Amino acid sequence: MQSTINVAVMVKLEPDLSEGNVSYNPDGTLNRSQTRSILGPHSAIATRASFYSKVLYDANIKVCTMGPPMADIALRQALEICNADELHLYSDRAFAGADTLATAETIKAGIRKMGSIDLVIGGHRAVDGETGQTGPQVAWKLGFNFLGNVIDYSIDSANRIIHAERLIEIQGLYNILEEVECPLPALITIDPSYRERYNTVSQRLKYIKLQKEAMKKAENYKQYLKVWSAKELGVDTRSVGLPGSPTIVYKVEKVPRAKASRQTRIIDVSKDSELKELGMRLLEILNSK
Amino acid sequence: MKYEHLFVFFEHDDGNPANVSFEMLGEARRLMDEFNRKYSRNEKVIAIILGHNIKSLCERAIHAGADAVIYADHPELRYPRIMVDTKIICSLVRDRQTVAKVVETSEDYVKPRYMFFGADAIGRHLSATVLAELESGLASDVNKLLVDDVTITHEHKTKGKQEKYEKILFMYRPDFSGFLWTQILCLDNKNPEIAREYSPQACSIIPGVFQPIIDSSRKGKIVEYEPTFSGKDLKIRIVKREIIKSEVPLEDSRIVVAFGRGIKDSPESNIKLIEQFANTLDAEIAISLPLSKQPYSISQSLKSTYFIPARVVGTSGKKIKPKVYVAIGISGATQHIVGMKDSEFVVSINPDPDAPIKDESDIYIQGRMEDVLPLLLDSIKKIKEGGN
Amino acid sequence: MEKYDVAIIGGGSAGLAALMELSKLGLQAVVLEGAKPVGSKSVTGGILYSKNYRNAKVYNVEEVYKNFLDDAPVERRITGYYLNAVSENKVYTVDLTDAHNYQTNFAYSVLMVRMNKWFAAQAEEEAQKNGGGIVSGVHVSDIVWENSKTIVQTDELEPIQVNAVVAADGVNSEAALMTGARKKFDVEALYQGVKSVIRLPEDIIDERYGLKEGEGVAHLFAGDISRGHNGGGFIYTNKETLSVGLVYHLDSLIKSPIEPYTLLDSFLTIPQVSNYIKDEVPFVKEFDRDLPKEEQLRMKFGISKLLKSWEELRYTYYSKTARRKAIESRLYKSEEELRHRLDETRKELEEKFRVSFVTNYVELEYSAKLVPDGKRALMDKPYKNNVLFVGDAAGRGVFVGTRIEGINIGIDDAARAARAIARAKEHNDYSEEYMGRYYGELINESPYTDDIRKIDFEYLKIFVNACKEIPTESLNLFLRLGFMLLQKATVQDFARAITKMLDQRTLLALIETNEAYVKIPMEVAEKIGRTVNPDYKIKPPSIDERIAKIRINDDPEPHIKILDPNSRFIKSMVQLCPTKCYIMEILDKERFKSEVVLQHEGCIECGTCSKETDWKHPKGEKGVTYEYG
């Protein structure tokens, strides 16, 4: 008799940066009030990855996020994707203004409150300025094994082992495909190139069935939602939110632009001088920093 | 001083160093030279290298700007593994004795002042776990750094009072839109209710941003650190590891020469010409999407070398931004433009002056590649010979 | 290996009906469909009929899907059916509504992708009761028989074992070739169709075509419309769109090749047609290129957002249902407020972003499809081993003059296939002799089979009656004779007379002449047509713009291979491929050596080139995905 796999998913509400939805201020900064927020694309991938464990292992899934009350939209969208069993929103003024370390502290506390968790799944990073660090920091704080850049995984539920494939891109060197395994509990973050593989007809059929069920559940998502305050989570308010953040955003400035747009110059190759000039220019650019 | 020195985590894979390691050390060198001058101090750049049979890397780290190297050599450390690596890095940087072995270090040393990691698949996550363990702040994806003092008033950090912070690392990270630069500072809490010191001030650095230094006359101390770890640090087991080959490093190339359907009049000889041109400029060769479908009858070896998806630039291929992009016989379908429009300098060669690629070019040459390339090649060769 | 009762290849309207009927009969059936979402590679002209035969049973859509009449996302109920004879700006319109209503319960204009989505939802729910369902995004690569087991293989999933297979994979059926049940259709047995879905607000359609809410019309066109090729044009009104296109004999086209989109463009340019489709279209001027890039980007985002809301407002304002809903849900207080908002948004676009509004039309989707001409394509034996062919895959479609039916036939076939399989299950005998032959019998009992094979003279008489205003001297001798006879004699007399004279094939050859398609209608239009002048100059999008709009998920592995790059047929594909996938490449200028090459990127899987290529659909989820169909 196999025991249930308990999965937690960390997601984030982010501005929808797709064309036609995003709004900018005259200075080129994001107009947040005009831009609608959605479940971030990397969070959506992480959620999809969790659904895989539901289809294959009948996992119990709890999705969590930290954010303002309206962040429950992200949880609802996640529920639609993964047919979650519970939704957890960590929402308290005390959490506001957190950097990664302080965010990780809150989420760690939240996941501890979930009871026994075998696997935590997070996204690669957020699109609106987060860093891809929350996942590993939560893992470290929980004392879970951490695997990043996961593109595929499977679980041996009898031996409580996760087997994962990771894509490690080392710029200027090469890419590595690494197969690893480690005992549960573990925290994994999902690479954008993650593609779930449902290899049999029955898995596909189950996928569809659970997905349909998820859409129904999403209509009454509040029924599955629990909102947690700092007090309920039992966190020390000095270690979360602004007070718990080592870093601050000191200033935001415009990136100086090297050039506005291209001015096309037409070169006549029959003229030696123009050819030479182009050649010099090319070599000069290539030799510059 | 409780917090001293700049520690750089030197990234490599099984002894093959990542470019970002040298770039970080170059920037670290410049930053600490400036720091020592400005504050009349003598703090050092220390590289940390974990691995197996990696002694040769230590010297290279010194040449690249490190004052000293502390390395740990163990078969279990051959490949990056985040849990055990985190543990070793943290105990290493907190071990005053070890640090004192390589550089002059205060008696009350506790932790590093600054730390650098690469913002890639290894460093990004490792920086996070290390700083979670060291309980300090981290800025990710940084592309500009400077050290300065700063006086601020902050609700929590200073409880609304004005306070001066010294030797603060200004970490600049570009915003997702590319329009904005955010300056991130890691500051102690001087608010008496939540007083706390945060060190090191750490960041991960975007690969390809900073210039490396290579100076083989540089000298420095290299010391081995004996790591201690147990089975519970080694729970992640690497089952299989495969370097993905046949990958064409278009993204890393400073210059890319791309060709399209314009080679059609005589594919074989045109490709030869393009090869020569690319070799002269040390360029990587790319293609437009239609060519990946191998529309021409050409030799099998050319097919398998060039007419492959890994060389495609565009929406269904790679998005690249080299310093120089040369588009030869490419008309410039939107799908292609998307892949190359961020190139710094674009040259296009095309017989059709209405081809959309023209408007995406800094330099446009009207003509067939058969006619233009030999002239251009010749001219560049001459300049090169003359220049030397 | 996983086992299922039935695998259904293809999730179009026929495949989904098979799933529905099999599931109702208690079988565990699985649809295997390449497109994702299911049915999104399907295209129709198109009208979905429910038929009413006096002496025979057909399985109509509302019988297969019980809630069809209440729930289905049909477009408009067709209440008028017209044939327009065209010559330049002269048009003569024949009202064929009576002929259209002949043996018809109802007919709806439909957009196939939306329709399929609804069919799929119904069928899936039913199938889940037996543990069956729909698996989309998988491409069936082979069917093999091993030790009395039938194994269906796909590119994507582990193989499954089944007792029977329903092949509903369309006109370019790969199942037909895998099983050897038939060869590829001859070009003489095929039509090529091109279509564009054109957007137009609901109220404007109602007004322009003189319709009440929910009503729709079909306009067919003949004469001066396809540059002399044998074929016809059509406009079907949908709720907020029009389906506008052409269908013509593929062999006629191969004889004198011309690009399908050129034909479509010249059809759209016919004054009658362009007046039917015109609309008010925003025209965005190019940005000042000297502006900084971020400024240009900001403008682009600003405009696209505002245009989006202008469109939303306009389509809400000009739609009875949307307007009602918006006011009910308190989005707007009143019609006036909505109007005001619409005007304001338009003003902002004009003033702030220098957008102007011009008369043109809005093309949403360009598509193309092969249509099997049942008269010549019909499979005599629509089964092989335990594989049953339905709908387009079996070459079944009624295509006689102005009578055009396909979807309803596929649905009827599917219901018959389901019954044959259910009976086979009862007797545990899925052999060709037992199950296949029985299916063949059921198919022969279908009145559609007669309609495909024979001309229904009752229908013809109604048709001829509608044409009584047409002066018979424009007709050739044979047709004139027919007209006269039909108007005077009883049907039985006529039928007897004709069948004595001619067999079916000869008859068809006589009717489907260039004269009938082109010359006679032109003559009629010139003689008795009214003059229609165009209100504006239409600007159809270029084929490149059209292709750019189609969603194609490129399969890196080529799914089509040219067999002989120098054959006449393949050379004609340079013109006939609706998305310009074939290109003549000059290999050697001096020796005038050239060769046809194929680039797959724009392939919409119509199959026009199938005859002389190694042709497959792309792998699952790859290839074209239509939004409307």
Side-chain angles (χ1 to χ4, degrees):
Chain A
M1 174 72 199
Q2 292 177 357
S3 58
T4 316
I5 302 281
N6 290 301
V7 174
V9 191
M10 309 181 284
V11 301
K12 188 162 184 272
L13 184 75
E14 295 167 23
D16 181 0
L17 299 183
S18 56
E19 194 181 327
N21 293 316
V22 63
S23 257
Y24 289 106
N25 294 318
D27 64 353
T29 56
L30 180 72
N31 181 340
R32 286 192 182 254
S33 62
Q34 290 270 317
T35 303
R36 160 182 102 102
S37 288
I38 53 162
L39 176 70
H42 292 294
S43 294
I45 297 171
T47 313
R48 253 173 48 209
S50 74
F51 190 48
Y52 183 79
S53 68
K54 181 128 207 153
V55 176
L56 267 79
Y57 316 114
D58 293 310
N60 178 288
I61 300 179
K62 301 178 168 97
V63 187
C64 66
T65 191
M66 185 186 90
M70 62 168 287
D72 69 353
I73 315 164
L75 293 174
R76 187 204 156 126
Q77 286 171 352
L79 166 60
E80 285 176 10
I81 296 172
C82 74
N83 195 333
D85 299 281
E86 290 172 28
L87 306 173
H88 297 260
L89 172 60
Y90 313 127
S91 193
D92 195 309
R93 281 181 178 281
F95 300 147
D99 73 355
T100 15
L101 195 71
T103 305
E105 187 62 29
T106 302
I107 293 178
K108 174 201 77 179
I111 289 172
R112 287 238 170 102
K113 284 278 176 195
M114 288 178 183
S116 145
I117 289 292
D118 301 293
L119 178 65
V120 185
I121 303 181
H124 184 58
R125 61 190 309 184
V127 294
D128 63 339
E130 206 216 309
T131 53
Q133 297 162 353
T134 314
Q137 293 203 326
V138 171
W140 191 261
K141 283 169 180 265
L142 284 168
F144 284 17
N145 290 308
F146 174 77
L147 304 172
N149 299 96
V150 168
I151 57 169
D152 192 15
Y153 76 91
S154 58
I155 296 171
D156 173 351
S157 47
N159 295 308
R160 309 202 82 70
I161 284 174
I162 178 166
H163 186 99
E165 220 170 275
R166 308 175 57 219
L167 178 66
I168 306 164
E169 291 180 37
I170 307 177
Q171 254 136 331
L173 203 55
Y174 43 66
N175 297 342
I176 300 157
L177 204 57
E178 192 180 78
E179 277 181 50
V180 291
E181 55 181 39
C182 71
L184 299 172
L187 188 150
I188 63 177
T189 56
I190 306 296
D191 193 83
S193 60
Y194 171 83
R195 292 284 173 273
E196 56 274 76
R197 285 187 303 200
Y198 297 102
N199 286 334
T200 67
V201 169
S202 60
Q203 283 170 9
R204 296 281 183 112
L205 293 176
K206 191 165 167 200
Y207 175 97
I208 293 161
K209 204 171 158 193
L210 287 171
Q211 203 177 38
K212 260 191 174 169
E213 196 182 286
M215 296 309 280
K216 264 203 201 112
K217 275 166 121 177
E219 285 167 20
N220 298 311
Y221 74 101
K222 293 230 154 118
Q223 193 183 319
Y224 306 91
L225 177 70
K226 163 131 183 74
V227 183
W228 297 78
S229 66
K231 204 176 154 198
E232 285 168 304
L233 281 187
V235 291
D236 178 350
T237 48
R238 286 171 303 180
S239 60
V240 297
L242 264 177
S245 298
T247 62
I248 63 161
V249 171
Y250 177 60
K251 232 185 235 172
V252 176
E253 64 183 271
K254 280 186 105 172
V255 177
R257 285 245 149 207
K259 52 190 299 188
S261 61
R262 287 189 215 281
Q263 293 284 330
T264 308
R265 210 187 124 197
I266 298 170
I267 280 201
D268 182 356
V269 278
S270 62
K271 290 191 185 130
D272 247 5
S273 60
E274 292 199 2
L275 256 186
K276 195 173 167 195
E277 198 192 315
L278 171 60
M280 303 263 280
R281 180 94 186 266
L282 280 181
L283 292 172
E284 188 192 313
I285 295 171
L286 289 173
N287 291 331
S288 70
K289 186 191 103 107
Chain B
M1 285 265 168
K2 282 162 79 181
Y3 312 118
E4 281 179 327
H5 312 305
L6 165 54
F7 286 72
V8 175
F9 179 73
F10 189 100
E11 279 189 16
H12 66 94
D13 181 70
D14 197 12
N16 298 312
N19 292 348
V20 71
S21 299
F22 300 113
E23 293 159 13
M24 286 193 289
L25 284 169
E27 180 62 12
R29 180 75 272 137
R30 283 183 289 272
L31 196 84
M32 286 316 276
D33 285 349
E34 173 66 25
F35 173 93
N36 288 330
R37 222 178 358 259
K38 190 164 173 175
Y39 296 107
S40 310
R41 296 213 28 100
N42 185 23
E43 295 190 23
K44 302 296 186 190
V45 174
I46 303 167
I48 304 168
I49 309 181
L50 312 184
H52 187 45
N53 297 330
I54 34 93
K55 285 227 177 78
S56 67
L57 288 181
C58 299
E59 203 147 296
R60 293 179 69 181
I62 300 277
H63 294 166
D67 292 303
V69 176
I70 305 172
Y71 72 94
D73 191 316
H74 193 282
E76 289 286 1
L77 301 179
R78 183 169 168 197
Y79 304 118
R81 265 191 302 174
I82 189 164
M83 305 313 272
V84 64
D85 291 355
T86 304
K87 181 160 185 190
I88 295 170
I89 293 168
C90 292
S91 52
L92 184 158
V93 300
R94 285 197 280 221
D95 182 353
R96 200 202 86 86
Q97 272 188 326
T98 301
V99 178
K101 271 190 213 163
V102 288
V103 294
E104 201 179 295
T105 300
S106 309
E107 280 303 323
D108 60 349
Y109 172 89
V110 179
K111 279 193 281 188
R113 179 188 295 282
Y114 308 130
M115 265 184 112
F116 288 178
F117 297 84
D120 62 15
I122 299 171
R124 181 186 302 285
H125 295 143
L126 188 66
S127 61
T129 47
V130 166
L131 270 295
E133 172 62 25
L134 296 178
E135 297 192 344
S136 187
L138 176 62
S140 75
D141 302 277
V142 164
N143 67 349
K144 181 180 165 179
L145 288 159
L146 55 91
V147 173
D148 205 349
D149 299 340
V150 62
T151 304
I152 66 156
T153 311
H154 189 272
E155 184 193 347
H156 288 281
K157 293 277 177 195
T158 69
K159 210 187 176 192
K161 283 193 295 188
Q162 200 177 55
E163 294 274 2
K164 185 176 179 194
Y165 288 84
E166 284 179 7
K167 307 182 188 69
I168 296 305
L169 186 62
F170 283 65
M171 302 177 277
Y172 288 67
R173 68 186 300 250
D175 181 58
F176 59 92
S177 65
F179 296 151
L180 296 180
W181 231 348
T182 311
Q183 291 174 24
I184 293 172
L185 313 182
C186 174
L187 303 176
D188 297 341
N189 282 347
K190 295 197 176 179
N191 178 344
E193 284 160 30
I194 48 168
R196 253 187 100 164
E197 291 180 3
Y198 290 119
S199 200
Q201 304 170 45
C203 63
S204 61
I205 287 173
I206 302 177
V209 174
F210 294 115
Q211 274 305 105
I213 302 167
I214 303 297
D215 177 357
S216 50
S217 67
R218 289 183 48 83
K219 296 271 179 294
K221 258 194 191 159
I222 298 169
V223 163
E224 180 164 5
Y225 174 75
E226 293 275 349
T228 48
F229 48 80
S230 63
K232 77 175 176 36
D233 301 315
L234 300 170
K235 281 183 181 163
I236 298 173
R237 200 168 71 82
I238 297 172
V239 181
K240 197 174 142 197
R241 220 163 177 278
E242 182 188 343
I243 290 170
I244 305 171
K245 288 199 188 90
S246 88
E247 203 34 52
V248 184
L250 288 182
E251 294 97 326
D252 303 307
S253 195
R254 288 159 70 79
I255 168 162
V256 172
V257 170
F259 64 92
R261 301 188 64 91
I263 60 161
K264 62 172 179 286
D265 287 345
S266 39
E268 297 255 352
S269 65
N270 278 338
I271 291 171
K272 292 265 148 62
L273 204 54
I274 290 161
E275 270 177 349
Q276 277 178 36
F277 180 67
N279 285 341
T280 314
L281 289 171
D282 202 13
E284 195 55 66
I285 294 179
I287 58 170
S288 65
L289 181 68
L291 293 199
S292 71
K293 299 292 155 66
Q294 315 183 348
Y296 306 101
S297 31
I298 48 169
S299 78
Q300 199 51 47
S301 77
L302 276 184
K303 254 185 199 168
S304 55
T305 321
Y306 294 119
F307 292 57
I308 53 173
R311 287 198 192 270
V312 174
V313 168
T315 34
S316 38
K318 290 177 176 167
K319 292 180 187 66
I320 55 171
K321 34 186 167 185
K323 282 185 126 26
V324 176
Y325 188 80
V326 186
I328 303 174
I330 290 177
S331 63
T334 319
Q335 290 88 331
H336 185 76
I337 302 281
V338 167
M340 52 62 73
K341 66 177 169 24
D342 291 332
S343 306
E344 269 182 47
F345 189 74
V346 177
V347 180
S348 63
I349 303 170
N350 201 301
D352 175 11
D354 292 328
I357 190 79
K358 182 181 157 193
D359 291 342
E360 283 299 325
S361 310
D362 297 279
I363 298 286
Y364 166 70
I365 303 170
Q366 185 179 356
R368 290 159 17 111
M369 69 179 77
E370 292 88 325
D371 308 327
V372 175
L373 276 185
L375 295 174
L376 196 54
L377 194 59
D378 208 40
S379 162
I380 289 171
K381 272 186 185 157
K382 269 188 204 149
I383 298 167
K384 274 193 153 179
E385 284 157 16
N388 287 341
Chain C
M1 201 182 314
E2 291 183 356
K3 283 185 190 167
Y4 297 88
D5 285 332
V6 188
I8 300 160
I9 307 176
S13 52
L16 294 168
L19 179 66
M20 188 73 188
E21 289 297 290
L22 283 162
S23 305
K24 280 190 204 160
L25 294 166
L27 281 85
Q28 188 183 19
V30 188
V31 164
L32 302 172
E33 152 78 8
K36 200 168 191 174
V38 60
S40 59
K41 286 184 194 288
S42 300
V43 176
T44 178
I47 298 177
L48 168 56
Y49 285 88
S50 167
K51 303 294 289 188
N52 167 24
Y53 287 92
R54 238 171 295 133
N55 306 319
K57 155 103 195 139
V58 284
Y59 298 91
N60 278 320
V61 63
E62 75 276 18
E63 186 179 339
V64 174
Y65 303 95
K66 292 288 183 241
N67 49 345
F68 178 84
L69 287 167
D70 302 323
D71 251 16
V74 291
E75 297 292 323
R76 286 168 181 264
R77 187 169 185 142
I78 299 297
T79 52
Y81 199 85
Y82 304 95
L83 174 62
N84 298 273
V86 179
S87 177
E88 280 184 58
N89 60 349
K90 294 273 211 158
V91 181
Y92 179 75
T93 306
V94 184
D95 185 345
L96 291 178
T97 308
D98 285 344
H100 173 259
N101 288 340
Y102 170 68
Q103 292 186 340
T104 296
N105 293 321
F106 59 79
Y108 282 105
S109 57
V110 294
L111 289 165
M112 208 63 243
V113 173
R114 293 176 175 190
M115 204 60 239
N116 280 344
K117 197 177 158 196
W118 185 84
F119 286 152
Q122 316 306 310
E124 190 167 63
E125 201 178 319
E126 191 67 36
Q128 279 176 351
K129 293 177 189 165
N130 310 319
I134 299 170
V135 180
S136 61
V138 295
H139 174 242
V140 173
S141 55
D142 209 355
I143 306 169
V144 291
W145 288 272
E146 265 174 24
N147 315 324
S148 74
K149 282 180 191 157
T150 307
I151 295 160
V152 177
Q153 297 171 347
T154 61
D155 290 331
E156 291 78 14
L157 303 180
E158 288 165 19
I160 56 170
Q161 190 192 329
V162 296
N163 294 323
V165 178
V166 175
D169 52 346
V171 60
N172 307 302
S173 171
E174 288 166 51
L177 306 179
M178 284 169 208
T179 57
R182 65 163 167 85
K183 293 205 178 72
K184 287 180 186 172
F185 290 129
D186 288 331
V187 289
E188 289 78 15
L190 291 168
Y191 299 94
Q192 189 192 48
V194 279
K195 184 181 83 161
S196 65
V197 175
I198 290 169
R199 198 168 185 196
L200 206 56
E202 183 185 334
D203 286 4
I204 294 179
I205 294 179
D206 285 355
E207 198 198 320
R208 188 169 297 164
Y209 293 86
L211 299 168
K212 290 201 206 88
E213 192 176 348
E215 286 181 354
V217 286
H219 277 278
L220 304 185
F221 293 82
D224 187 11
I225 58 155
S226 51
R227 304 246 178 125
H229 293 88
N230 293 351
F234 60 85
I235 298 179
Y236 300 130
T237 55
N238 303 318
K239 199 165 273 163
E240 292 191 318
T241 55
L242 305 169
S243 294
V244 183
L246 292 157
V247 180
Y248 31 73
H249 288 264
L250 187 55
D251 55 337
S252 140
L253 219 69
I254 285 173
K255 267 178 217 135
S256 62
I258 181 166
E259 298 83 0
Y261 39 90
T262 308
L263 286 181
L264 182 62
D265 287 348
S266 56
F267 179 57
L268 294 171
T269 316
I270 293 168
Q272 174 87 348
V273 176
S274 58
N275 287 354
Y276 266 145
I277 62 175
K278 73 177 171 194
D279 197 12
E280 181 175 61
V281 180
F283 176 76
V284 182
K285 292 194 184 63
E286 270 207 23
F287 304 129
D288 187 349
R289 283 218 154 201
D290 293 335
L291 286 174
K293 266 197 178 155
E294 58 239 63
E295 179 61 21
Q296 289 189 31
L297 199 65
R298 216 165 52 75
M299 295 261 291
K300 201 176 131 200
F301 281 135
I303 291 184
S304 77
K305 206 167 174 173
L306 205 58
L307 276 177
K308 215 171 144 184
S309 63
W310 174 78
E311 245 174 58
E312 260 174 47
L313 283 163
R314 185 160 179 264
Y315 276 82
T316 311
Y317 180 75
Y318 284 110
S319 156
K320 292 172 197 75
T321 24
R323 207 164 50 217
R324 229 179 283 139
K325 244 192 225 158
I327 293 169
E328 264 168 32
S329 66
R330 306 234 175 96
L331 211 54
Y332 308 99
K333 268 193 242 110
S334 60
E335 265 187 61
E336 289 69 42
E337 195 204 324
L338 182 56
R339 174 85 231 182
H340 179 71
R341 287 275 297 277
L342 176 61
D343 292 342
E344 287 295 300
T345 312
R346 184 186 161 125
K347 221 163 98 191
E348 198 182 340
L349 277 168
E350 285 172 325
E351 285 166 9
K352 206 164 149 193
F353 293 105
R354 301 194 305 130
V355 173
S356 56
F357 289 83
V358 298
T359 305
N360 201 357
Y361 78 104
V362 183
E363 191 171 306
L364 293 175
E365 185 171 84
Y366 168 80
S367 55
K369 173 186 178 0
L370 288 190
V371 184
D373 177 2
K375 304 183 292 280
R376 300 172 176 94
L378 185 74
M379 269 169 96
D380 290 332
K381 232 180 82 182
Y383 51 88
K384 177 84 189 228
N385 289 354
N386 50 354
V387 182
L388 311 182
F389 292 82
V390 299
D392 276 9
R396 293 169 58 77
V398 174
F399 229 106
V400 184
T402 53
R403 204 176 153 191
I404 306 161
E405 291 171 34
I407 312 167
N408 47 322
I409 300 170
I411 291 173
D412 179 67
D413 293 349
R416 289 169 200 273
R419 273 148 189 83
I421 297 171
R423 177 171 168 268
K425 182 171 179 166
E426 248 169 59
H427 293 80
N428 194 24
D429 184 351
Y430 300 91
S431 66
E432 183 171 318
E433 292 69 37
Y434 187 78
M435 182 175 77
R437 272 174 60 182
Y438 180 63
Y439 173 60
E441 282 167 30
L442 291 180
I443 282 294
N444 278 332
E445 284 167 17
S446 165
Y448 291 132
T449 307
D450 273 349
D451 279 347
I452 293 168
R453 286 204 179 114
K454 296 176 199 146
I455 293 174
D456 182 333
F457 294 104
E458 194 95 38
Y459 175 86
L460 203 60
K461 188 164 183 192
I462 304 172
F463 177 88
V464 168
N465 221 8
C467 300
K468 58 179 175 286
E469 303 291 325
I470 296 176
T472 42
E473 56 269 30
S474 38
L475 309 178
N476 69 15
L477 183 68
F478 171 76
L479 286 176
R480 200 187 313 163
L481 191 73
F483 259 64
M484 276 156 47
L485 265 171
L486 264 175
Q487 274 166 351
K488 285 170 191 150
T490 63
V491 172
Q492 287 77 10
D493 290 343
F494 177 72
R496 226 170 284 131
I498 292 286
T499 34
K500 246 184 211 167
M501 277 159 58
L502 307 155
D503 61 26
Q504 171 86 354
R505 286 263 158 151
T506 328
L507 194 66
L508 281 174
L510 272 164
I511 293 172
E512 290 183 333
T513 54
N514 193 258
E515 212 160 310
Y517 276 114
V518 182
K519 283 188 197 133
I520 298 169
M522 279 177 73
E523 237 178 278
V524 169
E526 270 157 35
K527 272 197 190 126
I528 56 169
R530 62 190 191 283
T531 307
V532 179
N533 287 318
D535 301 345
Y536 67 107
K537 183 133 176 49
I538 187 170
K539 289 182 212 73
S542 73
I543 181 60
D544 297 343
E545 289 170 271
R546 281 172 169 149
I547 298 169
K549 256 199 215 164
I550 304 173
R551 263 223 324 257
I552 297 174
N553 178 4
D554 186 48
D555 185 351
E557 255 173 68
H559 58 287
I560 302 173
K561 284 188 198 92
I562 296 178
L563 299 177
D564 173 7
N566 286 309
S567 81
R568 203 181 98 86
F569 178 89
I570 284 297
K571 278 183 178 156
S572 72
M573 287 305 126
V574 174
Q575 265 96 39
L576 295 192
C577 172
T579 51
K580 282 210 307 196
C581 293
Y582 287 85
I583 283 180
M584 188 66 84
E585 203 73 72
I586 297 162
L587 294 178
D588 185 336
K589 248 185 188 159
E590 273 101 75
R591 272 175 279 168
F592 301 104
K593 227 179 110 188
S594 59
E595 196 175 88
V596 174
V597 295
L598 168 61
Q599 37 176 25
H600 302 76
E601 286 88 83
C603 177
I604 51 173
E605 300 155 55
C606 64
T608 303
C609 61
S610 150
K611 189 75 193 172
E612 292 194 15
T613 53
D614 182 354
W615 197 101
K616 286 192 180 71
H617 282 96
K619 284 207 252 4
E621 293 186 52
K622 301 287 184 188
V624 67
T625 307
Y626 286 119
E627 202 185 329
Y628 301 93

